[in-house]
Amino acid sequence: MSAKKLSHAIEPAFARAIWLRAQRLDTSNPFGEGPEATRRAVEHLGYVQIDTINVIERCHHHILYSRIPDYRRAHLTQAQSVDKSVFEYWTHALAYVPTRDLRFFLPAMKAYRAKGGGWFGSVTPAEIKKVIKRIKSDGALSIRDIDDDELVEKDHPWASRKPSKRALQLAFYQGLVTISARQGMLKSYELMERHFGWEQAPKPPSSRQVAEYLLERALTSQGVVGLDSICHLDAPSKPAVRALIENRVRRKLLVPVHLEHVPKAQHWVAPEVLEAVHEPAGLVHILSPFDPLIIQRKRLSAFFGYDHIFEAYVPAAKRQYGYFALPVLVGDRIVAALDLKTDRAAGKLLVQKWTWLEDQSVEVKAAIEDALGRFERFQLGRE
C-alpha cells in the first residue's frame, strides 16, 4: 500500500495547534527569563534569522521578543559574545544558530573552501591570508578597523568594493573566522578556534547525520513537517531526508498525514505529538515577517489560510498591506496585518496602515492595542 493511501487527514485547526505548540507561541513565557532564555529559544527553534531592515527593531530581536516577554537585546549579545552559546551562519539566510549544532555546518564551510569566491567577488588566497594574519596578531577585526583598502569595482551586486571586506566575508563562510560580536550590522570577526576556545575542533558529521539534524530540527520547531519545510531553500538535501522519513514511517516513529483541504501535500508527525495537542490560548503576537512561523509562505497559506506579502521591494502604489507589514496572530488565527514604523526621534511607534483580515470583537481589538503598547515599549527600550 502506498504512503499516500496510509496518510491520515487532519483538520487545519489541529495542524495549526501542533505547529504553534512547536513554535512555542501558544504559551506566554515558554523559555523562562534572563539571558538563558535566549539560548533555550535559539536551541529550540534551531535558528533565528538576521536581516538588515531596520524600520522597526531588527528581526532577530523581534523573533526572540515574541517568545520571551522580558527579552533584552543585551541577552543576545551575551549569548553570542560571552556565553558563546549561539553563533552566526547561513541556514536559508544568515541566522543565529545554537553552538551545540555547529558541527552540522562544517560540510558547508568545507564546500565554500573548495569552490572559491562565488558572489564575494574575486577574492584571492593572499587576501584571505592577509586578514587572517591581522586577526591573529591584533585580535578581533571589523571592517571599520581596516582603512588602507584600495576600492575595486563590484563584479557581483552583493559584493563589496573593499577587498578586505570580501576576504572577511569569504573567510567567515569558509569557517576560518566567526562573528564574535555585533553592533547593529557592524560585525567583528575572530578566529574560530580562538573565539570558542576549542582544545579540539568539532568532528564533521556524515551526510546521514546532517540529514538527521535537519529532520530533528524541523520536528522540534514545526511539529508537522513536509519535505519543503524541512529543507527550506535546500533542495539538494531532500533525497537523504526523504529516505530517513520513509525509514521512520516503517518503524512507526512517524505518521504520514495531510491537511484535509490539501490532500496532495504530504506531511509527517511523531505519533506522540498527535496525542498531546491542546487548543492554543488566545494570546496576541505581533510577528516579524521573518519569523519562523511566517517565512515559509506556502506552508503559512496552507495552515492558516493567509498569504503574507513582503512588500518592502514593491512600488508603493502596488502595496496591499504596506512596506513592512507584520502579521497579527490571535490564538490560532492571523487576523490583521500592521504596517509599522518606529520613529525613534519622537519616541513613538507609528501605525502606517492597519489591515483587518477577519472581523474581531471589541475585546480582541483591545487585546491587540495592549500588545501594540508593549511592542512600542520594547521597540523604544522602555521595557
Side-chain angles (χ1 to χ4, degrees):
M1 188 177 291
S2 69
K4 182 178 179 181
K5 290 181 180 178
L6 290 170
S7 182
H8 301 277
I10 58 176
E11 296 179 356
F14 189 59
R16 289 196 297 272
I18 295 173
W19 192 10
L20 290 170
R21 172 89 282 266
Q23 279 289 305
R24 297 299 189 260
L25 289 169
D26 66 336
T27 53
S28 60
N29 192 23
F31 297 110
E33 300 176 350
E36 275 295 289
T38 293
R39 174 190 61 79
R40 286 190 288 267
V42 177
E43 289 183 348
H44 179 83
L45 296 172
Y47 75 90
V48 170
Q49 185 169 335
I50 300 168
D51 194 78
T52 59
I53 295 177
N54 197 32
V55 65
I56 61 167
E57 184 53 84
R58 298 191 195 276
C59 70
H60 39 286
H61 294 306
H62 186 171
I63 291 166
L64 291 167
Y65 165 77
S66 295
R67 292 158 178 84
I68 307 171
D70 85 328
Y71 172 75
R72 302 291 182 269
R73 296 155 186 82
H75 296 169
L76 185 55
T77 299
Q78 178 168 333
Q80 179 174 26
S81 302
V82 181
D83 301 337
K84 300 171 186 176
S85 58
V86 303
F87 74 105
E88 295 185 31
Y89 204 68
W90 192 268
T91 54
H92 70 278
L94 188 63
Y96 285 102
V97 185
T99 300
R100 70 177 188 186
D101 296 338
L102 187 148
R103 77 187 196 96
F104 297 108
F105 294 85
L106 295 178
M109 296 173 185
K110 182 179 179 181
Y112 269 105
R113 293 195 294 273
K115 70 182 180 183
W119 57 265
F120 303 101
S122 303
V123 179
T124 67
E127 287 171 328
I128 291 181
K129 287 180 180 178
K130 180 180 177 181
V131 295
I132 295 296
K133 182 179 179 181
R134 181 163 177 177
I135 293 171
K136 280 182 178 178
S137 62
D138 298 345
L141 182 71
S142 79
I143 192 60
R144 287 186 185 172
D145 297 320
I146 301 174
D147 56 11
D148 57 353
D149 265 0
E150 292 185 14
L151 300 183
V152 299
E153 293 300 319
K154 289 187 177 185
D155 51 13
H156 189 284
W158 293 357
S160 171
R161 295 188 64 204
K162 291 186 174 183
S164 295
K165 183 175 182 179
R166 295 183 180 190
L168 282 170
Q169 288 175 318
L170 183 54
F172 165 75
Y173 281 96
Q174 290 178 340
L176 303 176
V177 299
T178 192
I179 297 169
S180 59
R182 174 185 282 272
Q183 293 180 322
M185 288 293 111
L186 180 65
K187 297 166 282 192
S188 293
Y189 296 86
E190 175 62 286
L191 300 178
M192 181 82 80
E193 62 273 14
R194 192 159 68 190
H195 174 72
F196 290 108
W198 291 329
E199 293 184 5
Q200 185 174 358
K203 182 180 179 181
S206 66
S207 56
R208 180 183 176 86
Q209 288 172 327
V210 173
E212 288 173 340
Y213 159 71
L214 293 174
L215 177 56
E216 288 298 333
R217 184 178 73 179
L219 286 169
T220 298
S221 63
Q222 298 172 11
V224 180
V225 302
L227 268 182
D228 285 341
S229 73
I230 300 165
C231 307
H232 182 47
L233 302 182
D234 182 18
S237 294
K238 286 184 177 182
V241 171
R242 178 179 281 281
L244 283 175
I245 290 172
E246 291 173 350
N247 178 272
R248 293 194 186 190
V249 170
R250 287 193 296 269
R251 294 160 56 202
K252 302 186 186 312
L253 299 175
L254 289 178
V255 177
V257 297
H258 62 270
L259 300 182
E260 287 180 339
H261 64 297
V262 195
K264 293 184 179 180
Q266 187 66 71
H267 291 81
W268 297 269
V269 62
E272 63 271 18
V273 171
L274 289 172
E275 299 170 0
V277 177
H278 61 274
E279 185 176 344
L283 300 177
V284 177
H285 293 290
I286 300 169
L287 297 174
S288 167
F290 301 105
D291 193 279
L293 193 80
I294 304 299
I295 195 65
Q296 296 192 38
R297 308 286 191 246
K298 186 177 178 181
R299 176 181 169 92
L300 178 70
S301 179
F303 281 62
F304 284 86
Y306 168 64
D307 296 304
H308 185 74
I309 306 170
F310 185 67
E311 299 177 297
Y313 305 114
V314 175
K318 295 184 178 180
R319 291 174 190 151
Q320 180 177 343
Y321 298 135
Y323 176 83
F324 200 71
L326 311 182
V328 179
L329 177 73
V330 179
D332 73 336
R333 301 295 301 170
I334 295 174
V335 304
L338 305 183
D339 183 26
L340 303 181
K341 180 179 180 179
T342 302
D343 185 340
R344 294 171 178 84
K348 293 181 179 180
L349 182 66
L350 308 178
V351 180
Q352 310 279 77
K353 186 175 182 179
W354 189 314
T355 304
W356 286 107
L357 305 170
E358 298 180 359
D359 292 335
Q360 297 298 315
S361 66
V362 172
E363 290 78 14
V364 168
K365 291 178 179 179
I368 294 173
E369 290 282 2
D370 184 61
L372 264 176
R374 295 194 306 272
F375 191 59
E376 180 180 58
R377 292 191 292 275
F378 166 69
Q379 293 285 306
L380 299 168
R382 294 174 182 162
E383 288 286 0

